[in-house]
Amino acid sequence: MNPNHIYQVRICTGTLCHVMGGALLPELKPYLPEYLKGKVQVKGMTCADYCKQEDRKPPYVLVDDHLIESASIEKVIAYIKKCENHDSKQ
Amino acid sequence: MTPSNNATLTRRELLARICSLLKEGRLEEEIDRIPLKMRPKDNHALRCCVHKDRAVLKYKIMALLGYNIDDEEDELTSLSDYAQKAWNREELSPVVMTVVDEACSSCQKGSYHISNMCQGCEARPCAVNCPKDAIYFVNGQAQIDHDRCVNCGKCIRECPFHAIIYRPVPCEEVCPVKAISKDDQGIERIDYNKCIFCGKCKDACPYGAIMEKSHIMEIFRAHEKGQKVIALVAPSIAAQFRQPLDKIYQAIEAAGFHDIIEVAEGAEKTIDHESKEWQERIGRGQQMMTTSCCHAYTELVNKHIPELKDRVSETPSPMAYAGRIARERYPGATTVFLGPCTAKRHEAYFTDQIDFTLSFEELGSLLVACEIEINDLEGRLPQVHASGKAQHFAHSGGVAGAIKEKAGDGLQEEIINGVDKKAIRQLKQYAKGKCTANFLEVMCCENGCIGGVNTLMKGRQAEKAFHENQFQTTDLRE
Ligand code: FES
């Protein structure tokens, strides 16, 4: 991945995700470690029907094309870190 | 606690499932399956085993059906039976919260413990200063003899390595009035002679063992009977969702409410009446008057600081006024107060104009069950949209601000933002005449109602949504 890559974090603002644990996800930015601060863009997205499955695991967050279920701030940051480490090893 | 925790999410999921089944008319048929579906066999149990987990869910569902856990007939009575009886019951008891004893009892009495941060130093101030000789050393590590320890906490203050920790009982720790304590089985019991219905214990319990009795059955039944159901919505609604207020209102209507009356419309009347009352009382030579809109605060005064009683305003709360407006506008309709507050649930039992209450958390689950996408709605404001001043009642400082504007500059306000043990000590001083201000606003929850225990957002996110909505509504009115 290109070193200037900006991670697009999209937080579902749909009713179900909001009620089922997603309400505080937009707090994400201040929790980012220094080295990631300029590399992440946080936006909302409307319900993309991930919640319509029988075995739903809200709240949902997309990081680029990767879907995170039962998302928490920690999970999202851990995923981005993993991508970064993976990159630096290449 | 932050709303992002599993105890909260379990409660919301349970209620969403109950609402879905109610909507489909399959509650009695399917309700006994909810615990099985939410805790399937192959899953890792949260407690000792999946059966215990399911039993806990069963009791939580009982509370959501509006029962006290003590109402349990016997363990074999099915949820389906309870659901049927709840559907047909005529009356609700005014007990607001109930302890799910199956979920409780997991916390040991609050106590001190020494962690492996202990360096076994030479100074050993913990042992030297312990008044009960309760600290001894094994392999150079401090230990506490719990038979001797009296929980005085000296050691924790003395240890230079911060190696000593206190493990609290979370519900007891947050209760500002010592109304919750263990019975001889180790289960927490609420003493209603002391309880002010602030709901802090419910919020703090990491097992979700303290449940509010929901009115969801009653609300659905009113609907089923073809009654008009009117939503009286507290202004702190503006801090619950990321969407603008008009969309939120439309979502509430879509969930089956005939119309919406803003409780802030009632607050306009509170402002008028309370500012006159203040002028009148100060004119009579009274030194100070204090607010009446927060029910947890007035309960606090009644039960714990009766010396202050004569200085509490007699003006009805915005909810009570909104109830009167609803009765006039829609005679014969069912009125439901929607708010973030456990104490209002108690106040509503004793307010003739309010039939039932629905918390914002329950509203969230209801919207989920009705599959209402707030983002997709156009937005519609109710026919009467109250002023920004009245909406601001939801925020600490809002009441004092509005009364001051009306009553004039002679009003000097003092604001207590959140009731804890320290605030109570201060209030007791004020009761002795030590308050220099002549108007005292007290809200039990920090930041006011937007910081209530049944909210969907907290802290900065709640503030942000609330203020954005304030601006938006002003724009809309201009
Ligand atoms: S509400 Fe988030 S995916 Fe549907």
Side-chain angles (χ1 to χ4, degrees):
Chain A
M1 223 183 262
N2 121 31
N4 297 325
H5 178 74
I6 305 279
Y7 294 91
Q8 301 288 338
V9 174
R10 273 171 299 156
I11 296 165
C12 178
T13 63
T15 308
L16 191 137
C17 285
H18 179 80
V19 172
M20 297 300 178
L24 298 181
L25 291 176
E27 286 279 284
L28 183 112
K29 275 233 154 136
Y31 291 90
L32 286 169
E34 260 333 293
Y35 74 101
L36 283 178
K37 284 228 157 110
K39 305 189 82 178
V40 176
Q41 201 178 51
V42 183
K43 279 195 196 146
M45 63 172 177
T46 53
C47 169
D49 285 353
Y50 301 116
C51 60
K52 299 279 153 36
Q53 315 151 35
E54 171 68 19
D55 181 27
R56 63 187 185 209
K57 292 198 172 67
Y60 291 97
V61 169
L62 271 177
V63 180
D64 297 329
D65 292 331
H66 177 80
L67 181 68
I68 301 180
E69 43 181 41
S70 306
S72 62
I73 288 176
E74 289 67 29
K75 258 191 171 176
V76 173
I77 294 178
Y79 173 74
I80 298 174
K81 277 188 183 163
K82 203 177 90 194
C83 296
E84 281 287 299
N85 284 341
H86 191 73
D87 271 8
S88 58
K89 270 186 216 125
Q90 278 174 357
Chain B
M1 229 180 341
T2 148
S4 308
N5 71 73
N6 290 329
T8 305
L9 296 181
T10 299
R11 200 164 58 221
R12 293 181 187 175
E13 175 80 35
L14 283 172
L15 196 72
R17 284 177 185 261
I18 292 174
C19 291
S20 296
L21 291 174
L22 275 166
K23 265 180 61 82
E24 295 162 14
R26 296 194 299 137
L27 185 69
E28 281 174 39
E29 244 168 276
E30 292 288 325
I31 191 168
D32 283 288
R33 294 200 171 272
I34 294 179
L36 279 63
K37 283 200 178 143
M38 279 178 65
R39 299 287 181 259
K41 263 214 176 106
D42 46 351
N43 245 13
H44 299 291
L46 286 170
R47 294 180 171 80
C48 58
C49 63
V50 67
H51 305 291
K52 172 90 174 175
D53 280 354
R54 289 175 182 173
V56 168
L57 289 187
K58 178 180 172 185
Y59 289 110
K60 290 189 179 182
I61 293 174
M62 275 184 70
L64 295 174
L65 293 175
Y67 287 99
N68 298 329
I69 301 305
D70 307 335
D71 293 341
E72 184 186 32
E73 294 166 10
D74 62 47
E75 279 158 79
L76 288 181
T77 309
S78 64
L79 284 172
S80 169
D81 287 346
Y82 285 120
Q84 193 200 356
K85 280 182 202 140
W87 191 257
N88 295 318
R89 79 180 148 217
E90 292 299 327
E91 238 174 281
L92 280 168
S93 73
V95 177
V96 175
M97 283 175 286
T98 180
V99 179
V100 178
D101 43 10
E102 197 80 17
C104 177
S105 87
S106 316
C107 306
Q108 279 162 26
K109 201 168 153 279
S111 54
Y112 289 86
H113 298 269
I114 295 176
S115 72
N116 55 10
M117 297 289 283
C118 171
Q119 308 292 310
C121 62
E122 180 179 343
R124 298 189 173 176
C126 56
V128 175
N129 290 290
C130 175
K132 295 288 170 192
D133 261 338
I135 292 183
Y136 61 102
F137 286 79
V138 176
N139 296 332
Q141 290 260 311
Q143 311 278 329
I144 294 179
D145 178 347
H146 286 283
D147 292 334
R148 291 185 164 196
C149 173
V150 291
N151 282 343
C152 71
K154 273 222 166 92
C155 55
I156 205 170
R157 292 191 290 275
E158 296 291 346
C159 175
F161 295 105
H162 305 296
I164 301 171
I165 50 167
Y166 177 67
R167 188 186 57 201
V169 178
C171 59
E172 292 181 12
E173 185 99 331
V174 295
C175 177
V177 291
K178 291 206 175 96
I180 187 161
S181 57
K182 292 186 174 302
D183 66 10
D184 40 2
Q185 309 288 322
I187 290 168
E188 296 294 334
R189 295 285 168 209
I190 299 171
D191 178 350
Y192 286 104
N193 294 317
K194 293 185 183 162
C195 177
I196 60 171
F197 311 105
C198 66
K200 291 185 205 270
C201 56
K202 180 202 118 159
D203 198 37
C205 174
Y207 294 90
I210 301 166
M211 295 281 292
E212 256 175 283
K213 284 162 51 192
S214 174
H215 296 172
I216 199 74
M217 293 294 275
E218 276 58 28
I219 295 169
F220 266 88
R221 194 178 52 180
H223 208 253
E224 182 88 0
K225 279 191 184 158
Q227 233 149 1
K228 283 185 182 150
V229 185
I230 312 297
L232 282 61
V233 185
S236 42
I237 188 71
Q240 307 309 312
F241 297 93
R242 220 163 287 290
Q243 290 83 359
L245 203 50
D246 48 350
K247 290 195 181 208
I248 303 171
Y249 283 143
Q250 198 181 355
I252 296 173
E253 280 186 12
F257 290 94
H258 178 77
D259 196 10
I260 286 170
I261 291 177
E262 288 186 331
V263 170
E265 196 187 337
E268 308 266 21
K269 299 206 175 196
T270 302
I271 298 172
D272 282 344
H273 195 282
E274 194 159 321
S275 49
K276 285 200 200 94
E277 186 188 3
W278 176 81
Q279 283 165 332
E280 204 244 326
R281 285 185 182 227
I282 299 297
R284 256 195 280 135
Q286 187 177 314
Q287 184 208 12
M288 172 272 274
M289 184 180 95
T290 178
T291 48
S292 61
C293 49
C294 170
H295 185 69
Y297 170 50
T298 54
E299 285 292 298
L300 173 73
V301 171
N302 287 340
K303 290 177 178 164
H304 302 275
I305 322 173
E307 318 90 88
L308 205 56
K309 246 187 197 166
D310 58 346
R311 273 156 284 180
V312 176
S313 158
E314 277 161 10
T315 301
S317 69
M319 178 181 82
Y321 275 124
R324 294 182 196 179
I325 295 169
R327 289 281 192 247
E328 276 164 31
R329 216 170 274 167
Y330 295 105
T334 299
T335 55
V336 182
F337 171 79
L338 273 64
C341 182
T342 37
K344 285 278 162 199
R345 232 191 250 279
H346 184 259
E347 184 187 343
Y349 280 115
F350 302 99
T351 308
D352 288 343
Q353 291 84 0
I354 307 291
D355 297 319
F356 305 113
T357 49
L358 185 75
S359 74
F360 286 152
E361 188 177 290
E362 291 168 338
L363 170 69
S365 297
L366 179 64
L367 295 181
V368 167
C370 298
E371 297 185 30
I372 293 164
E373 261 315 309
I374 308 177
N375 283 319
D376 296 347
L377 303 170
E378 294 148 35
R380 187 162 57 232
L381 284 173
Q383 33 174 322
V384 182
H385 182 50
S387 70
K389 260 185 310 177
Q391 307 282 1
H392 225 79
F393 262 55
H395 200 286
S396 165
V399 183
I403 305 287
K404 187 173 187 164
E405 203 183 301
K406 194 94 187 177
D409 286 341
L411 187 144
Q412 291 154 342
E413 76 275 28
E414 164 80 32
I415 289 162
I416 292 192
N417 177 10
V419 167
D420 53 13
K421 291 176 187 122
K422 193 170 144 235
I424 294 176
R425 282 196 295 276
Q426 197 179 353
L427 283 165
K428 288 194 169 149
Q429 289 301 312
Y430 288 171
K432 292 190 188 135
K434 299 233 166 81
C435 183
T436 48
N438 54 20
F439 186 85
L440 174 64
E441 176 199 292
V442 183
M443 292 232 196
C444 191
C445 293
E446 210 176 316
N447 296 332
C449 312
I450 67 163
V453 294
N454 284 323
T455 46
L456 294 169
M457 291 208 278
K458 284 243 155 65
R460 271 198 330 154
Q461 294 294 319
E463 287 281 343
K464 197 166 155 243
F466 187 68
H467 289 289
E468 278 172 4
N469 263 323
Q470 296 285 306
F471 292 125
Q472 229 151 16
T473 50
T474 326
D475 287 343
L476 282 169
R477 264 179 300 125
E478 272 162 8

